[in-house]
Amino acid sequence: MAAGVATWLPFARAAAVGWLPLAKKTMPKPPVDKKSRSDEILIVNVSGLRFQTWKNTLDRYPDTLLGSSEKEFFYNEDTQEYFFDRDPEMFRHILNFYRTGKLHYPRQECIQAFDEELAFYGIVPDIIGDCCMEEYRDRKKENQERLAEDTEAEMATDVPLPPNSTPRERLWRAFENPHTSTMALVFYYVTGFFIAVSVIANVVETVPCRPPKGSVKDLPCGEKYSVAFFCMDTACVLIFTFEYLMRLFAAPSRCKFMRSVMSVIDVVAIMPYYIGLVMPENEDVSGAFVTLRVFRVFRIFKFSRHSQGLRILGYTLKSCASELGFLLFSLTMAIIIFATVMFYAEKGTKGTNFTSIPASFWYTIVTMTTLGYGDMVPNTIAGKIFGSICSLSGVLVIALPVPVIVSNFSRIYHQNQRADKMRAQQKVRLARIRMAKKGTTNAFLQYKEDGGLQDHDSDSAALCLKNRSSFEHQHHHLLHCLEKTTNHEFTDELTYSEMCMTESVGYRTSRSTSLSSQQVVSSSCCPRRAKRRAIRLANSTVSVSRGSVQELDTLQVLKSSAVPQSRSSLNARTEDLKLNCEQRDYTAAIISIPTPPANTPDESLPPSPAVPGILRNSRSISSFTHETVKISSL
Amino acid sequence: MSACAKRCKHGLVKFAVSVHKLVTGTLNKDKVDDDLEMTMVCHRPEGLDQLEAQTNFNKRELQVLYRGFKNECPSGVVNEDTFKQIYSQFFPHGDASTYAHYLFNAFDSGHSGSIKFEDFVTALSILLRGSTREKLQWTFNLYDINRDGYINKEEMTDIVRAIYDMMGKYTYPALKTDAPKQHVDAFFQKMDKNRDGVVTLDEFLLSCQEDENIMRSLQLFENVI
């Protein structure tokens, strides 16, 4: 339970008086707290430094070491104090947590030492207050990364391939980490070399070479040595195709691989060649064919597999895309405005270059970026005035955001990282809080199962019940009062959904209707007894397979005791509850009526001696071992 | 076909959102720091002797109570949101905020919008150490939401529904939608003696005193502190 809630519990319990006139039945007796209620000052001696605090302060968090009975292990009878052989400086922060409800992280302490102390005292680090949480997380991340780097560096030196990996896995590993084997490294460098060769060939084939004998015009080298270039191109494409197919074969998830950026680049790099092979050599399509050759320049992007820097650049551009896009948009606005103005200003001039507004776009862009090619110049005075305004504003519009973008890069990059981190952590934190909450709800259900709610005097109370803190007793009593007021009981999601399912099937047979009416009556008075019987039956190591009507449902029985109990034990007495309580590790027992008429497994019928009813009690306890022995019918 | 249309619509919405983001930019204006409510009101309760005289607690009990209270609320007052939060922690299964609201109003006898230590202790004194009549009167005040001296069916239904909300969804047997109404009807059947549709304080006191269960339950809550 969260901070200081224990203080408010008496208040909530007192407010339960408000339910009394509504309740149809008597309220259950409250738990008797035999311990002395008066508050006392405890002395906690941590390596010689004595801390004193009220007992109530420590009781605020009953699921920590100091708040639970675990501290009794450290009680020193002679000196009448609790002695801990731990760091006294750290303990100050731990104790402050109890006092204020907020855990702070002392910045000068080592993060691992702090974590260890928290683990010792049973405090979950998630409750660190927001003021210190970020610092804590950052330090912890740093530490973990450093440790991970160290282990990675260790691991990278030795190259232990998992012994039973398929050739496919080995191939993929070779592709991803070329350093692992010499073959992979060789292949890595060979592909890199061929990429470079291909790019250079692309570039060189457009350079004009000396014309062959008997011709005056300069020829691009590509046409002069077309065969040579074609061979080189073919070789490169063959290598790239081979590489791509190998990667495709080795990829653990082919779909994911095909959608990745690098694979798309690979495909785009080699496609033009094949399309060129396929297409006929006629003039009409050759124009399109030429365009395709442009895509060969994409081969240069294949270098990003070889270069970390390119990948980082690509990533940062992607993350700043929205900022860049917005700036582009505002630039476009400015361009349109000025282009329109210039067009209308220069409209009157004869033979002007400003033939249309789109034509003026070129002028505006060139002027705003202060390039000033001079191919379009305004002639009218108005045009010149607006032209100068355009260039001045261009300086402002373009020059100013550039440093902002640059600083945005780093800021946004880091911010994004932190925001994603925090979002992920928030989700995890919320999930943990939800689980803890579920733990609280389950605690009550577990409490009920242990028979905590039946009226008993303290002598016959089971040992496990005694170990619960008084806070828990009182809280469970409060929840029990609410159950009595509303005449409904708390269950968990599993039971509820199963109940809904079975209810929806409906009660078809007359027998089942009579049983169902019995159920309604019994639900108010016997469900607990029914559940207890279920618990006892669950002690046997039978399990049933759910499914058909004739068969019995599955029992998740935790092998708590080797004592097999027969059907007759269904009618065992309540004293056996103590036995069951000590073996706390069992869960649901679902047994359906084996008789044909009951089409639907009714639930929670009181087990009469003649007909074994269906007893349902599903509670899942965290870690347990279970054995299921299948039998066909009981 | 509808799934395809849904996907198209979804895609269009996403596209529109991204265009919108493009146009407006992702500028997060610095939120003007809403000045932290300068309600650093620090309320000090009356003296220990006075409180001891006014309530049925002795000095030690008051000390324990105040230490706990002060630790939770250093400012000395509890406002409604904090109260709802605290109360909800005891009922993790369901939603306790509605009932907490009614409870808050019942505790806040001065209608100041916040509970001070005196209100807290006075109410506890009535509930735990008061006479039967006082307890029942307190309960009547709780049910009488608009404080007009009568409990009518709507008020009762609100209260009962709020209580059932605290149970949450997963109950056994499953909560039917008319369970609160049935409960209210049963209540009125018992309490409303002259069948005029409202329950007055006297009717309430009389009916409760006739009911053994209620009387017995009232005794149980004496040793909560």
Side-chain angles (χ1 to χ4, degrees), chain A residues 1 5 7-9 11 18-20 22 26-27 39 60 99 323 326 475 485-486 488-491 496, chain B residues 22-23 26 67-68 71-72 83 89-90 99 107 120 143 164 167 170-173 183 213 217-218 220:
Chain A
M1 280 238 165
V5 159
T7 323
W8 295 97
L9 184 62
F11 164 82
W19 301 335
L20 294 183
L22 287 170
T26 339
M27 287 292 141
D39 211 0
R60 280 202 201 117
R99 292 189 182 124
E323 321 301 297
F326 171 65
H475 184 221
T485 309
T486 57
H488 289 73
E489 285 179 9
F490 289 112
T491 59
Y496 183 73
Chain B
L22 195 76
V23 169
T26 53
R67 276 207 301 272
N71 208 58
E72 289 312 303
F83 184 83
Q89 285 176 345
F90 292 111
Y99 188 69
F107 270 84
F120 181 66
Y143 294 161
Y164 273 87
M167 288 294 292
Y170 304 119
T171 60
Y172 169 75
H183 205 138
N213 274 340
S217 307
L218 275 175
L220 291 175

Side-chain angles (χ1 to χ4, degrees), chain A residues 84-101:
Chain A
F84 294 96
D85 197 10
R86 312 282 302 187
D87 188 356
E89 304 298 319
M90 296 280 209
F91 187 75
R92 196 170 62 82
H93 301 285
I94 307 278
L95 197 53
N96 273 340
F97 164 63
Y98 284 90
R99 292 189 182 124
T100 62

